[in-house]
Amino acid sequence: MSETSPDSFYITTPIYYVNGTPHVGTAYTMVVADTLARWNRLWGRDTFFLTGTDEHGLKVSQVAQDNNMTPKQWVDLMSTRFIDAWKDLGISYDRFIRTTEPEHYRTVQSFLSKIYENGFIYKDLYTGLYCVACEAYYNESELVQGVNCPVHLRPVTEMVEENYFFRLSAFQDPLKKWYEDFPEAVTPSTRRNEALGFILQGLEDISITRTSIDWGVPVPWDNEHVFYVWYDALINYLTAIGYDSDQGVFDKYWPHVHHLLGKDILRFHCVWWPAMCMAAGIDPPNKLIVHGWLLVGGEKISKSSGITVDPLEIANEYGIDAMRYYLLKETHLGSDGDFSIEGMVSTYNSDIANNLGNLLQRCLALVVSKLDGVTPACPLQPPEVFKFDQRVDQTIRFWESFQPTGALETLMELLRGANIYLEQKEPWKSSENEYVGNVIGAVLELLRVVSLLLLPAMPESSKKVLSRLGVDTTVNLREELTFGRYKGGAVIERSAPLFPRLEVE
RNA sequence: GGCGGCGUAGCUCAGUUGGUCAGAGCACACGGCUCAUAAUCGUGUGGUCGUCGGUUCGAGUCCGACCGCCGCUACCA
């Protein structure tokens, strides 16, 4: 639960490393971010949704060389895989940032120069056991059989390098105080505890530059060095909002940012990043939303294990909104989730085909058979069984506190109430137009409001329902959620169900 | 080893500061209805709320021990 800034909303996803490919796990992150962005736009906030690709690092330059390309040519090619995937999935980002953009170079140099000037960066020697494939140093205790990298099972090499170091140790107390002052900054709280625990055990300085490669952002005060990939990557969150180029935009969105991230990159975002911000003299991000992993059959998605699911295939086969709904409804934001086609089809059929789709269909059938095919206006007050105001307020609270699962479940409760109401009133047995019109009007009104509140999760499907009802979707949501606004008058013809049940292929 | 979390109906999970707290959804069974997409409505599953103790008039709800599972414990996007 957290308050959101009143009139602007800035949300980011991690930027994806170009050597990877979009899979259902990254699609999950994007769907969540997209849904939160859509909610805030509908709620009338000035919303900025950022994603992009991380394009530096040794591995990129190596792979580029293997493919007889320059690193730049390679990342130009690879970044399009993400751009295309998000386009096909209808992700409504406002800006796709690439860390190889000149604007990003300037921001990284400006930001880190500031930290340098503030005295939190110094030069020293670093000695460590290094795995080239990982681009990472390991402790002896982490190695397999004492010599091999635990990821690649290949020998590591001892490297001595002159590096610039970031004085992370200086921020142990400030970070501790920050976590105490802003207990809501990291959600869920177990992740906050994890970050705080890490901080409390003592922080060491960290190396932030490399001399062994040149595919990176040059260190402005020492051109022998480039910044290590992680240090330029995080700064993308500032580049995109004019950190050193547009103070007005920057002030609007910072520090009221919502960083969405997976639990595997918690430390970078919840320890290093706030410290870097403090060192540069800006406020740390005010919200870090840590999500879990999407598992497949209980296993982590990874290429090496052969467990990988292509979100575009799912979307093509079953529809984007079916996938979105399943990801949002069945995986509590913050917990791990399990993805399966069977689960997706089952959830969609229960909630969307049966509960929502069938409710709409039975109403429209009655409009055709009893009301000359014209939808009636709604009554002034909602029937008791709807628990309308209570549930609508609850849904809003869930959306405002980043709990898609709760929001969607509450919408299902509203729909169940409407189905019960129809059973109680039995409009199909009546021949009085006024009676039938009142009953159907009340349910159509509920469907109007539910569809509006469902827009963030299932934009296309919700629009179809609203279109059927003759409701404009470009309205300000805040003014459209009170009962009694539906005027009716939409002409209905007998037609096939809008949301037919899915079958497992 | 250290720190933290979890273990509630077949499945996924809710259960504020202890006293209708033994629940929801899905699945399953039976019944109703037939406006509707094998839909929808109603009822049901006798779950030792991981185990054993303790505090209390009373504990999933607090304390202790134990069993099982998991996360973090530094430079992998």
Side-chain angles (χ1 to χ4, degrees):
Chain A
M1 294 288 186
S2 165
E3 67 294 338
T4 307
S5 64
D7 48 17
S8 73
F9 184 78
Y10 177 29
I11 185 165
T12 71
T13 71
I15 50 175
Y16 302 104
Y17 203 55
V18 284
N19 276 7
T21 50
H23 54 70
V24 75
T26 46
Y28 170 66
T29 308
M30 296 304 282
V31 166
V32 172
D34 184 66
T35 299
L36 296 177
R38 285 176 189 271
W39 165 256
N40 280 279
R41 284 192 205 106
L42 286 164
W43 205 236
R45 294 196 178 96
D46 181 340
T47 298
F48 191 70
F49 172 14
L50 174 70
T51 191
T53 41
D54 186 7
E55 307 186 352
H56 290 305
L58 183 59
K59 264 183 285 187
V60 169
S61 57
Q62 285 177 336
V63 174
Q65 196 170 26
D66 293 345
N67 287 275
N68 293 316
M69 288 188 208
T70 65
K72 177 63 176 162
Q73 288 172 324
W74 177 249
V75 297
D76 282 350
L77 183 67
M78 298 306 283
S79 62
T80 61
R81 292 204 300 204
F82 289 87
I83 292 169
D84 291 347
W86 306 150
K87 183 184 176 193
D88 289 348
L89 290 177
I91 303 298
S92 65
Y93 61 78
D94 296 294
R95 167 92 148 86
F96 190 98
I97 193 168
R98 299 178 52 194
T99 56
T100 49
E101 295 173 19
E103 188 182 351
H104 183 61
Y105 275 51
R106 286 197 300 274
T107 303
V108 170
Q109 292 178 332
S110 164
F111 182 78
L112 287 163
S113 291
K114 187 73 181 174
I115 296 177
Y116 187 56
E117 288 162 18
N118 289 344
F120 295 114
I121 290 175
Y122 64 95
K123 196 186 226 180
D124 204 349
L125 284 178
Y126 185 84
T127 307
L129 301 167
Y130 188 82
C131 171
V132 175
C134 293
E135 276 180 58
Y137 288 97
Y138 287 98
N139 293 325
E140 215 165 318
S141 61
E142 294 175 288
L143 299 178
V144 174
Q145 295 170 338
V147 293
N148 289 322
C149 157
V151 176
H152 297 87
L153 301 176
R154 298 201 313 229
V156 293
T157 52
E158 182 170 304
M159 300 237 312
V160 178
E161 214 180 332
E162 189 173 60
N163 284 165
Y164 284 95
F165 283 73
F166 172 57
R167 212 176 286 284
L168 183 64
S169 58
F171 294 93
Q172 183 167 337
D173 289 337
L175 284 171
K176 179 168 171 279
K177 183 173 189 311
W178 183 65
Y179 270 91
E180 285 165 355
D181 291 347
F182 302 100
E184 306 280 289
V186 174
T187 181
S189 59
T190 58
R191 298 302 171 194
R192 182 195 99 98
N193 293 341
E194 219 171 276
L196 188 55
F198 181 80
I199 291 162
L200 291 176
Q201 77 173 24
L203 297 177
E204 294 171 13
D205 294 345
I206 42 187
S207 67
I208 63 171
T209 67
R210 296 289 125 96
T211 52
S212 52
I213 57 171
D214 57 9
W215 183 235
V217 180
V219 173
W221 61 84
D222 185 342
N223 59 22
E224 297 289 303
H225 293 251
V226 298
F227 288 112
Y228 175 53
V229 58
W230 255 114
Y231 293 85
D232 93 69
L234 289 163
I235 297 165
N236 89 85
Y237 301 136
L238 302 180
T239 304
I241 54 168
Y243 168 75
D244 64 342
S245 62
D246 192 330
Q247 194 66 37
V249 171
F250 184 75
D251 289 342
K252 181 164 67 178
Y253 293 123
W254 196 269
H256 307 295
V257 63
H258 300 74
H259 290 313
L260 186 65
L261 57 133
K263 62 182 184 181
D264 50 327
I265 51 177
L266 176 130
R267 190 187 311 137
F268 308 110
H269 283 83
C270 299
V271 180
W272 295 1
W273 179 229
M276 288 166 70
C277 290
M278 290 175 184
I282 65 171
D283 288 330
N286 82 338
K287 196 75 188 177
L288 294 143
I289 303 170
V290 185
H291 70 248
W293 279 333
L294 200 61
L295 308 174
V296 174
E299 303 273 340
K300 192 189 170 195
I301 298 165
S302 72
K303 271 192 289 188
S304 56
S305 65
I307 296 171
T308 177
V309 180
D310 182 354
L312 296 174
E313 271 180 34
I314 308 285
N316 284 335
E317 196 74 37
Y318 300 94
I320 292 173
D321 281 358
M323 181 174 75
R324 289 175 66 104
Y325 185 82
Y326 174 57
L327 294 176
L328 294 165
K329 174 86 186 310
E330 294 300 309
T331 299
H332 286 80
L333 185 49
S335 307
D336 286 351
D338 196 47
F339 183 93
S340 71
I341 297 295
E342 292 75 14
M344 180 178 74
V345 168
S346 169
T347 298
Y348 182 87
N349 284 346
S350 296
D351 288 3
I352 303 305
N354 296 351
N355 200 8
L356 169 62
N358 184 59
L359 177 66
L360 176 69
Q361 187 70 2
R362 64 199 303 206
C363 284
L364 296 184
L366 289 165
V367 169
V368 170
S369 65
K370 300 266 182 188
L371 300 171
D372 299 323
V374 179
T375 61
C378 66
L380 294 176
Q381 296 298 324
E384 280 290 321
V385 282
F386 286 8
K387 296 185 183 172
F388 186 85
D389 292 336
Q390 174 192 332
R391 285 168 169 162
V392 169
D393 290 346
Q394 182 64 250
T395 305
I396 293 168
R397 281 200 297 276
F398 277 129
W399 279 134
E400 287 285 272
S401 57
F402 322 113
Q403 299 184 76
T405 296
L408 297 176
E409 179 53 31
T410 308
L411 292 178
M412 290 306 116
E413 288 175 9
L414 279 163
L415 295 172
R416 280 181 216 118
N419 271 314
I420 292 168
Y421 179 66
L422 284 182
E423 297 293 331
Q424 292 173 343
K425 295 299 177 184
E426 300 184 312
W428 47 89
K429 288 185 177 173
S430 171
S431 55
E432 294 175 41
N433 276 16
E434 190 180 336
Y435 178 82
V436 175
N438 265 326
V439 173
I440 298 302
V443 176
L444 293 181
E445 170 65 335
L446 179 136
L447 280 165
R448 179 187 71 88
V449 172
V450 166
S451 299
L452 288 170
L453 288 167
L454 190 60
L455 275 165
M458 305 180 78
E460 295 311 315
S461 301
S462 301
K463 282 176 193 163
K464 282 184 191 168
V465 176
L466 293 164
S467 165
R468 221 29 91 99
L469 300 179
V471 173
D472 186 5
T473 58
T474 60
V475 293
N476 182 341
L477 200 60
R478 291 192 201 226
E479 297 166 1
E480 293 295 330
L481 300 180
T482 50
F483 194 93
R485 301 182 69 85
Y486 186 56
K487 298 293 181 271
V491 177
I492 303 299
E493 289 174 6
R494 188 144 193 90
S495 59
L498 207 45
F499 307 116
R501 292 170 61 88
L502 299 177
E503 302 290 337
V504 177
E505 296 284 324

